[in-house]
Amino acid sequence: MIWASGWKLASAVSNAGGLGMIGAGSMYPDTLREHIQKCKAATSKPFAVNVPLLYPDLDKHIQTIIEEGVKIVFTSAGNPKTWTQHFKQHDITVVHVVSSSKFALKAQEAGCDAVVAEGFEAGGHNGREETTTLVLLPAVAEAVTIPVIAAGGIATGRQMLATMVLGAEGVQVGTRFVASEEASSHLSFKEAVINSKEGDTQLVMKKLTPVRLLKNGFYQEVQEAEARGADEIELKRILGRARAKLGMYEGNMDEGELEIGQVSALVKDILPAGQIVKNIWQEFSDALVSPLQSKA
Ligand SMILES: Cc1cc2nc3c(=O)[nH]c(=O)nc-3n(C[C@H](O)[C@H](O)[C@H](O)COP(=O)(O)O)c2cc1C
């Protein structure tokens, strides 16, 4: 996750038994190298790097990942055909994030080892079709033979169990970990996340790159621009002033871009990442024993 998942969060998740991930999308190649090296020093467990394929310095990121011996890469926001085989030649496991069965099939054809099926509820960039996790997951599980990892709206073990019933073999959890002690997100953003309620997020920027945001001044600006029919150029201009960093990293809660998922409405506390992994696992194990209980 941009401006959230550095080496501290990734290593804490890996040390707790999850697969921690470094979000390369907000890093310069040198910063990424530093985070990978620090992550290797902080955990002996596997970890991954996420690379949004639309990243401007993509070649350099990929070079860094290969040079540093990273074993697992999650690609997103782009065509998996372009880089998957290159990663595979370096013995790297490749997982691609998709928002439809059509894209899942393309990822499988490109040689990806697994896909993340990410529903409309998810924080960050998202599919245009608005397919929710509950619908997307069984559709993708039916369409492909490679393993499917569920994402979008998962913050508890009971939700994790639900995704497994629908065909997932793992889950990718984003929003819950923004509200973790190790996330590099600004404390004001973490506090806004735990104080948010149902209906406080919305998907905007469909013309450009759809993204789910917490409603604030920046969101209003985008909404108003879209309502008067702003074109891509104007939307790019609004986005162009490093608004994501301003909001999520520097803590400007009004003018900054705040990417977060619907499930923030269920997140009530900022916890150590290891505790979050533990809690999810405990809830999952309890839910397995009594899956039909209405309360977790
Ligand atoms: C603050 C934030 C930043 C994110 N940045 C990225 C990113 O850089 N690359 C990516 O593939 N997904 C990104 N995501 C999506 C997450 O990786 C994950 O798929 C998503 O958060 C799952 O849904 P959830 O938010 O409901 O848990 C981001 C999500 C959030 C909340």
Side-chain angles (χ1 to χ4, degrees), residues 73-120:
V73 166
F74 279 52
T75 54
S76 54
N79 186 350
K81 258 195 186 152
T82 327
W83 288 101
T84 301
Q85 286 313 316
H86 186 68
F87 284 127
K88 302 293 297 173
Q89 280 156 17
H90 290 86
D91 282 335
I92 296 173
T93 298
V94 184
V95 182
H96 189 65
V97 182
V98 299
S99 58
S100 69
S101 339
K102 189 177 92 186
F103 290 142
L105 276 169
K106 281 193 173 170
Q108 180 170 273
E109 280 161 22
C112 294
D113 297 283
V115 285
V116 174
E118 190 192 55
F120 172 67

Side-chain angles (χ1 to χ4, degrees), residues 44 58-59 102 105 107 147 170 216 227 262 292:
S44 55
L58 188 60
D59 304 30
K102 189 177 92 186
L105 276 169
N216 69 345
Q262 286 186 354
L292 298 185

Side-chain angles (χ1 to χ4, degrees), residues 1-2 50 76 118 122-124 151-153 172-175 248 259-260 263:
M1 293 182 288
I2 56 164
N50 165 249
S76 54
E118 190 192 55
Q172 174 165 293
V173 175
T175 293
M248 295 186 277
E259 299 182 11
I260 209 69
V263 79

Side-chain angles (χ1 to χ4, degrees), residues 11-296:
S11 59
V13 169
S14 289
N15 282 332
L19 180 70
M21 207 175 325
I22 296 174
S26 51
M27 296 178 182
Y28 291 116
D30 283 353
T31 321
L32 175 62
R33 190 182 298 279
E34 187 189 326
H35 278 263
I36 293 171
Q37 289 175 352
K38 285 187 170 161
C39 198
K40 283 194 275 195
T43 183
S44 55
K45 303 278 174 58
F47 67 90
V49 173
N50 165 249
V51 192
L53 295 172
L54 299 176
Y55 185 80
D57 260 338
L58 188 60
D59 304 30
K60 286 187 192 147
H61 265 354
I62 290 173
Q63 187 70 15
T64 305
I65 285 167
I66 291 167
E67 282 169 13
E68 290 298 327
V70 172
K71 294 276 172 265
I72 308 168
V73 166
F74 279 52
T75 54
S76 54
N79 186 350
K81 258 195 186 152
T82 327
W83 288 101
T84 301
Q85 286 313 316
H86 186 68
F87 284 127
K88 302 293 297 173
Q89 280 156 17
H90 290 86
D91 282 335
I92 296 173
T93 298
V94 184
V95 182
H96 189 65
V97 182
V98 299
S99 58
S100 69
S101 339
K102 189 177 92 186
F103 290 142
L105 276 169
K106 281 193 173 170
Q108 180 170 273
E109 280 161 22
C112 294
D113 297 283
V115 285
V116 174
E118 190 192 55
F120 172 67
E121 303 91 326
H125 291 280
N126 213 311
R128 283 193 171 75
E129 294 91 354
E130 306 196 352
T131 311
T132 57
T133 304
L134 208 62
V135 173
L136 178 68
L137 196 49
V140 171
E142 173 76 23
V144 298
T145 52
I146 54 177
V148 179
I149 297 164
I154 304 153
T156 70
R158 198 162 272 271
Q159 289 172 315
M160 177 162 117
L161 177 61
T163 69
M164 308 256 148
V165 173
L166 295 173
E169 294 189 35
V171 290
Q172 174 165 293
V173 175
T175 293
R176 173 61 273 202
F177 284 110
V178 171
S180 71
E181 287 178 5
E182 292 86 348
S184 52
S185 326
H186 196 281
L187 182 59
S188 303
F189 179 38
K190 295 181 188 180
E191 285 171 347
V193 171
I194 63 172
N195 289 322
S196 70
K197 308 275 181 302
E198 285 171 52
D200 283 354
T201 72
Q202 196 171 327
L203 193 79
V204 292
M205 294 263 189
K206 271 198 174 182
K207 263 190 199 160
L208 204 58
T209 46
V211 62
R212 179 170 295 283
L213 300 181
L214 193 62
K215 293 176 181 172
N216 69 345
F218 172 76
Y219 158 85
Q220 287 294 349
E221 202 179 321
V222 174
Q223 272 286 83
E224 280 160 25
E226 289 188 321
R228 64 167 189 275
D231 57 10
E232 283 187 30
I233 297 167
E234 185 178 355
L235 291 173
K236 268 188 192 153
R237 186 190 53 73
I238 295 174
L239 251 183
R241 285 171 276 159
R243 293 294 195 94
K245 183 180 185 193
L246 182 69
M248 295 186 277
Y249 192 67
E250 293 170 357
N252 186 328
M253 289 296 98
D254 187 43
E255 292 170 39
E257 181 188 348
L258 307 173
E259 299 182 11
I260 209 69
Q262 286 186 354
V263 79
S264 57
L266 303 184
V267 177
K268 302 287 177 222
D269 42 21
I270 301 165
L271 293 174
Q275 190 62 48
I276 294 173
V277 175
K278 242 183 168 173
N279 290 352
I280 290 178
W281 189 251
Q282 188 59 52
E283 287 162 6
F284 174 77
S285 307
D286 292 348
L288 261 183
V289 177
S290 54
L292 298 185
Q293 251 181 23
S294 59
K295 301 264 181 218

